Amino acid sequence: MSNSEQVKHTIETRPTKPFTDQKPGTSGLRKPTKTFIENQYFENFIQAYFDDLNETNKDKQATLVVGGDGRHFVREGTRIIIQMAAANNVKKLFVARDGLMSTPSVSCVIRKRNTDGGIVLTASHNPGGIDNDFGVKFNISNGGPAPEAVTNSVYDKTRQLTNIRLCPTLVNIDLLTLGKHTYEIEGRSTPFEIEIIDSVDDYVQLMKSIFDFDKIHNLLVGDKGKFPIMINALSGVMGPYVLRIFHEELKAKDAVTVKNCKNLEDFGGHHPDPNLTYAHELVEDMKHGDFEFGAAFDGDGDRNMILGKSGFFVTPCDSLAVLAANLDCIPYFKKHGVHGYARSMPTSGAVDRVAAKNQKSLYEVPTGWKFFGNLMDSKLISICGEESFGTGSDHIREKDGMWAVLSWLSVLANVDRSVEKILHAHWTTFGRNFFTRYDYEEIDGPGPFAMLKRLEGMCMANELLNKTFVTPYGNKEYTVTLMDDFHYTDPVDGSYTEKQGIRIVFTDGSRLVFRLSGTGARGATVRLYADSYENDPSTYTKDAQEMLRPLVSLALEIAQLKDFTGRDKPTVIT
Ligand code: VG1
Ligand code: CO
């Protein structure tokens, strides 16, 4: 469908008052949904973004993609962005049908259609609905999350904003029907264009160019017998992607059981976060042993959780390492080669061992996908990941849940049909990094900040260097070889980032990390990460929590966590 109206829309300039708290965190701006809806809070943030875009583009008219994860206010937010884009010199908007597009898919569309960037309306793994969270992420022309230089500049503008611009008469746009529309805007020499695009098409084509779909089809329903799997979309944006890829493209409806593929504005009241706590339904479904493989995604589809038969859990750190070690199972990497690997700082060192064996470079960056972009653009890395259930490659510039699942199925099709056996073989070759993360979520008051402050002071004074601790649990000894506040200089553009987490490294290579979450919308969330390495094969089948108990107990002691936070146990353990 194509339509071109004759009416001229006028631009209205509406006064507003600036907000002081619109600083984007690890991945966009996240706040309670009501905060976004009230007092033009959302409009202000979007206006600051357009102001910044027009300033950096020197008023060259931009083309952008808009999509979201379907949570409450995504569709209305999409309509507001349309009205504001028309009034802010945007040439063209590619709008996802019904406002729905996964974060990786937005990245794909930005790259494929050469746009200047995109806006993703999502608070990702945070719960949705009128009483929960909403969020906005900006992506740049490489398809990746805006780097800090951009988000800081937008933030500066949010604090000075005096008015917003929009075309209030641009209403009743049919977001459900694919097609192009052009609108005449008064005061603009060029018309404003909108194209409603399919949410899934571009992305599916990209996946088909990366993976051997025939081979995955054969794994699922081929001559070696059915390979039943379970996919749970947690009522996020991934439903249509799952149905299209597994049922239509891979023609594997018989083998692929799906759940929660209908997108809900409040994700059914759940956290759309694929981990053992919040994706409990998948864990239960897997326990019976009827499925060889299980996976879940987060609200916006960039995270993934991988389970093997009977719920065998693959930690995201191991998932990254296993994929890094088996990239030759994926046609894309055969064609493009494999540059280096990267992981976020708190992610376990499992992938480092694969890098060492394969003689590839390994980069360690701060938490947040935005730090991988330059490394990929400069062909320094091909694959990267975070302990927070994020895995991806340089096919786009976001982490990609579906890519991770198709990568795993490729490994299962080529190496061994058992996830558990693949992991055991991996540990036999490389040894095993035991890893866990404790989250203490939504703590009120200043305690968490004071705790971090004290740890920062300990770093500055080098207080713990060479100190030996006997752990309160298990009488194990640990000697500190490094304690610092992680900072990072981007090797490509030299940009510098500091205070990215307190890191304590021990002589045996074990590590503890403490940081505050940058994605929460209320209170403060403390994250504690523990990583230790074993190369004694008798330990490989041991329970990670059991193995890490001494290290974790030491962490709690060093940080005096209970005293500062009032919490004696975490809300989530992964
Ligand atoms: C968390 C994760 C981080 C991830 C970020 C965005 O950030 O720890 O690894 O990149 O979420 O993921 P934080 O600051 O809360 O620890 V997503 O899927 O919510 O955009
Ligand atoms: Co996400």
Side-chain angles (χ1 to χ4, degrees):
M1 195 187 100
S2 162
N3 114 1
S4 180
E5 283 185 7
Q6 290 317 309
V7 273
K8 267 210 170 185
H9 297 272
T10 39
I11 297 175
E12 182 187 323
T13 302
R14 218 175 255 181
T16 193
K17 62 167 186 49
F19 294 93
T20 54
D21 66 343
Q22 295 196 318
K23 189 171 169 54
T26 312
S27 174
L29 181 69
R30 301 183 195 191
K31 296 281 173 195
T33 310
K34 281 182 186 152
T35 303
F36 268 104
I37 295 177
E38 290 163 3
N39 304 318
Q40 301 189 141
Y41 191 91
F42 175 74
E43 288 85 341
N44 268 39
F45 193 55
I46 299 295
Q47 184 62 53
Y49 165 72
F50 282 138
D51 286 348
D52 189 66
L53 189 73
N54 283 323
E55 193 178 289
T56 42
N57 274 359
K58 304 212 167 33
D59 289 322
K60 169 189 159 267
Q61 290 192 308
T63 298
L64 299 169
V65 185
V66 184
D69 64 4
R71 71 180 61 223
H72 188 87
F73 196 60
V74 160
R75 290 163 182 95
E76 201 179 330
T78 303
R79 290 182 185 283
I80 293 172
I81 287 174
I82 291 173
Q83 293 187 339
M84 291 185 67
N88 280 281
N89 205 28
V90 171
K91 179 176 168 26
K92 177 166 184 175
L93 277 187
F94 289 101
V95 180
R97 176 163 42 193
D98 202 17
L100 292 178
M101 190 175 277
S102 74
T103 291
S105 195
V106 170
S107 186
C108 158
V109 175
I110 291 172
R111 295 169 68 79
K112 183 168 174 180
R113 300 184 188 238
N114 280 317
T115 75
D116 299 290
I119 306 174
V120 200
L121 302 181
T122 173
S124 195
H125 63 282
N126 297 33
I130 184 68
D131 293 320
N132 285 301
D133 298 345
F134 186 77
V136 181
K137 309 202 248 196
F138 301 128
N139 286 34
I140 56 172
S141 61
N142 73 352
E148 285 182 335
V150 175
T151 53
N152 286 339
S153 174
V154 172
Y155 173 51
D156 285 344
K157 294 200 163 55
T158 60
R159 290 180 297 171
Q160 295 156 24
L161 211 65
T162 52
N163 50 56
I164 56 164
R165 285 185 300 286
L166 75 166
C167 289
T169 52
L170 220 53
V171 287
N172 299 330
I173 294 161
D174 177 5
L175 295 180
L176 293 173
T177 310
L178 303 185
K180 295 183 183 174
H181 311 271
T182 47
Y183 301 93
E184 294 299 327
I185 313 290
E186 213 167 283
R188 273 181 64 148
S189 52
T190 53
F192 170 59
E193 301 167 48
I194 300 178
E195 185 171 346
I196 313 290
I197 57 172
D198 186 88
S199 312
V200 188
D201 278 349
D202 287 356
Y203 181 79
V204 167
Q205 268 186 28
L206 178 64
M207 290 301 111
K208 287 172 97 169
S209 74
I210 293 173
F211 297 102
D212 184 341
F213 269 47
D214 289 339
K215 195 142 200 182
I216 299 175
H217 167 86
N218 277 333
L219 166 76
L220 296 171
V221 290
D223 42 20
K224 286 199 186 139
K226 209 163 86 175
F227 188 83
I229 71 172
M230 160 76 87
I231 308 281
N232 194 322
L234 301 188
S235 311
V237 76
M238 287 304 284
Y241 296 83
V242 169
L243 297 174
R244 171 83 176 270
I245 288 177
F246 287 103
H247 288 179
E248 285 178 43
E249 304 291 339
L250 286 165
K251 301 190 175 53
K253 202 167 178 174
D254 288 350
V256 183
T257 307
V258 300
K259 265 200 176 169
N260 299 325
C261 281
K262 186 175 165 5
N263 181 260
L264 300 175
E265 287 204 332
D266 66 349
F267 309 119
H270 304 295
H271 280 251
D273 195 356
N275 60 42
L276 294 175
T277 303
Y278 295 130
H280 196 65
E281 186 185 20
L282 175 69
V283 178
E284 288 301 313
D285 285 339
M286 295 293 295
K287 270 193 183 148
H288 309 296
D290 299 339
F291 301 103
E292 299 291 336
F293 174 90
F297 307 104
D298 71 338
D300 64 330
D302 53 358
R303 295 184 176 206
N304 72 91
M305 177 168 77
I306 303 293
L307 299 178
K309 193 170 185 145
S310 306
F312 177 85
F313 175 56
V314 182
T315 69
C317 304
D318 278 346
S319 176
L320 172 63
V322 167
L323 295 183
N326 290 288
L327 291 178
D328 54 350
C329 300
I330 302 171
Y332 175 88
F333 295 102
K334 280 198 193 139
K335 190 169 158 207
H336 297 280
V338 178
H339 315 301
Y341 314 129
R343 60 167 170 81
S344 66
M345 184 273 280
T347 302
S348 91
V351 67
D352 304 28
R353 296 168 203 287
V354 179
K357 177 159 181 277
N358 292 354
Q359 297 181 315
K360 304 275 182 203
S361 307
L362 184 281
Y363 295 84
E364 184 179 38
V365 308
T367 294
W369 210 260
K370 55 182 177 268
F371 295 103
F372 295 125
N374 278 346
L375 301 175
M376 295 197 236
D377 287 350
S378 304
K379 298 200 183 313
L380 295 174
I381 62 164
S382 297
I383 177 173
C384 49
E386 296 190 275
E387 48 63 43
S388 54
F389 299 81
T391 337
S393 91
D394 61 354
H395 65 290
I396 53 170
R397 294 293 179 274
E398 289 277 7
K399 54 189 186 260
D400 189 343
M402 180 61 86
W403 174 90
V405 167
L406 293 172
S407 293
W408 262 96
L409 293 174
S410 305
V411 176
L412 289 160
N414 281 282
V415 178
D416 195 298
R417 287 165 67 94
S418 156
V419 173
E420 191 166 346
K421 280 194 191 147
I422 289 172
L423 260 299
H424 283 291
H426 186 89
W427 294 331
T428 304
T429 307
F430 296 96
R432 178 171 177 188
N433 276 78
F434 286 91
F435 179 86
T436 191
R437 179 175 111 180
Y438 281 32
D439 295 328
Y440 301 81
E441 297 175 306
E442 300 188 358
I443 304 169
D444 291 326
F449 303 97
M451 185 184 103
L452 262 288
K453 191 112 206 116
R454 176 174 162 272
L455 290 169
E456 281 165 21
M458 288 163 78
C459 289
M460 300 236 278
N462 234 336
E463 227 172 86
L464 299 188
L465 187 66
N466 298 326
K467 201 169 165 184
T468 298
F469 292 90
V470 180
T471 59
Y473 181 92
N475 282 330
K476 223 176 147 178
E477 278 193 6
Y478 288 97
T479 304
V480 177
T481 170
L482 169 88
M483 179 175 184
D484 71 352
D485 195 348
F486 185 67
H487 58 89
Y488 177 69
T489 303
D490 185 298
V492 179
D493 65 13
S495 56
Y496 178 75
T497 315
E498 58 181 8
K499 294 190 185 296
Q500 293 298 309
I502 305 293
R503 174 167 72 156
I504 307 177
V505 185
F506 301 93
T507 45
D508 72 342
S510 301
R511 296 187 315 152
L512 288 173
V513 175
F514 302 89
R515 54 182 287 282
L516 294 180
S517 157
T519 57
R522 344 176 137 63
T525 291
V526 173
R527 303 206 196 284
L528 153 61
Y529 311 76
D531 173 21
S532 83
Y533 177 71
E534 300 287 341
N535 58 10
D536 168 4
S538 73
T539 63
Y540 295 164
T541 49
K542 292 210 165 136
D543 177 59
Q545 292 307 321
E546 196 56 42
M547 290 295 287
L548 289 166
R549 197 150 292 155
L551 197 56
V552 169
S553 63
L554 179 58
L556 300 177
E557 181 191 293
I558 291 176
Q560 298 177 359
L561 190 133
K562 191 178 170 193
D563 295 342
F564 278 103
T565 65
R567 298 281 177 91
D568 57 6
K569 55 175 187 310
T571 28
V572 179
I573 295 181
T574 45

